[in-house]
Structure formats: structure tokens, C-alpha cells
Amino acid sequence: SRLSTNTRRRQFQLGKWRWPIAIAAWVIALFVIGVPLLNMVYKAGLVVEQTDGLRVRRWLPAAFARIVSSSPRQFGDEHGWTLLFGGLAATAAVVIAAPLGWLARRGRMRELPALSLAAMCLAIPGPMLGLAVIWLLNREESDALIWLYDRSVFAPWLAMLVKALPIALFVLWYAFRTVPNELVESAN
């Protein structure tokens, strides 16, 4: 879809720096993704055997295949809970971010609520967020809060929502900015 005349698209010409920056981005991405992935593969296939009183480490493809194939069965409940928490948090993030992104797409003061909420959510470090959720919900004087904390998915959902909300907000905000004003006016 074509951007409306009211929306200016910024393009940065890299010129001779295009390929060095592209290579640097790929190298960074390979390190960010590759190092943890290779470490996981190494740890999953690592076998330590006692030989003549010495411990000998070896990497075996069969050990790696055994660990990887048994993981879904062994950790199925954890995978299921993770999908539930992630799905609920992502859904709530989109529901909250959609009206804020739609409002912010027109710019100026309308983007202030979206920017403020995103800044607050991004500024909270993960450990502090966890402690805040515990402090908020672990109240012995309130049976409802204790139930939410001990017997429901609310606590992890809330923490994941706070971390997912800025991402959903920025993605939707950008997506809504690409909708031409003429199309929105014709839909009304």
C-alpha cells in the first residue's frame, strides 16, 4: 500500500557504508543467535565418562538426538504453560496497543499516551518487574489477590504483558501510520 501524502517516509542513504554495515549486522545477528544455539547443541550432546580415574568429555550425536527427542515428552507441561502465558500476554498486548496505536498514528499530542506507556514498560528492569508483581499480589489481607497470585496465571501474565506491550504498540503504530488517510476517510 502507498503511504499517504501526509506521512513522510525517511530514507537513509548509506552509500559506501552499505556493505560494511550489512556485514556488521549479520555478524551481530550470528553472534546473538548462533552462540546460544551452538552452546545448547554442545551441552545437549556432551557426555562425561570415567576412564582410568579421569573424567573424559565427549560430544556424541546420539546423546544430542536422545536429549532433543525426549525433551517434548519430558517438558511438555512446561512448554504448554509457556504457550498459554505467551498467547494470553500477546493477545492482551494487541488489545491494549491497538487503540493506542490508532490514536498515535496521527502524531502530535495524540502519541503522548502511547509513548508514555511504552517508555514506562521499557524502563522497568525484569527483576524489578518481578518484585513489583510479587509485592502487588502477595497480600495476606486480600484473599482475591492471594488467589490471583497462587492459583491463577495472572502474575506471569502481567509480567509478560508489561514486556510485550511496547513491542505490540510500536508494530501496530507503524502499521496504522501506513494506512492512507483517504482510505480511513472513505471507510467512515
Side-chain angles (χ1 to χ4, degrees):
S1 74
R2 202 183 100 235
L3 294 174
S4 72
T5 56
N6 296 344
T7 305
R8 291 191 328 224
R9 215 167 75 173
R10 294 187 180 116
Q11 287 186 338
F12 299 100
Q13 300 297 326
L14 299 176
K16 66 180 181 177
W17 292 99
R18 178 179 180 171
W19 287 109
I21 289 175
I23 291 169
W26 277 105
V27 167
I28 290 170
L30 284 174
F31 274 108
V32 168
I33 295 168
V35 171
L37 187 63
L38 287 175
N39 187 39
M40 181 197 67
V41 168
Y42 173 74
K43 295 283 186 174
L46 186 64
V47 175
V48 180
E49 297 173 336
Q50 190 84 13
T51 307
D52 297 329
L54 297 173
R55 292 183 181 174
V56 179
R57 293 177 181 224
R58 295 188 316 166
W59 190 87
L60 298 174
F64 172 75
R66 185 178 65 249
I67 293 289
V68 170
S69 66
S70 69
S71 178
R73 181 176 22 87
Q74 186 176 1
F75 300 107
D77 290 343
E78 288 82 359
H79 294 306
W81 283 110
T82 301
L83 287 172
L84 175 69
F85 295 154
L88 290 174
T91 302
V94 169
V95 167
I96 293 168
L100 288 170
W102 185 258
L103 180 67
R105 78 182 180 85
R106 310 238 8 225
R108 305 214 188 269
M109 292 302 288
R110 293 183 192 99
E111 63 192 24
L112 193 59
L115 283 175
S116 301
L117 182 63
M120 286 188 294
C121 291
L122 288 172
I124 302 172
M128 188 178 280
L129 176 61
L131 290 173
V133 169
I134 292 169
W135 176 83
L136 179 69
L137 298 177
N138 195 10
R139 302 286 180 159
E140 291 182 12
E141 62 270 8
S142 173
D143 291 338
L145 290 177
I146 287 291
W147 186 87
L148 282 174
Y149 182 67
D150 287 337
R151 307 270 183 220
S152 75
V153 299
F154 185 75
W157 168 82
L158 182 60
M160 290 179 74
L161 171 64
V162 170
K163 288 300 175 188
L165 190 56
I167 297 167
L169 182 57
F170 290 137
V171 167
L172 289 173
W173 185 357
Y174 175 76
F176 292 149
R177 282 185 58 101
T178 62
V179 176
N181 286 335
E182 298 81 23
L183 186 64
V184 173
E185 290 170 6
S186 69
N188 290 334

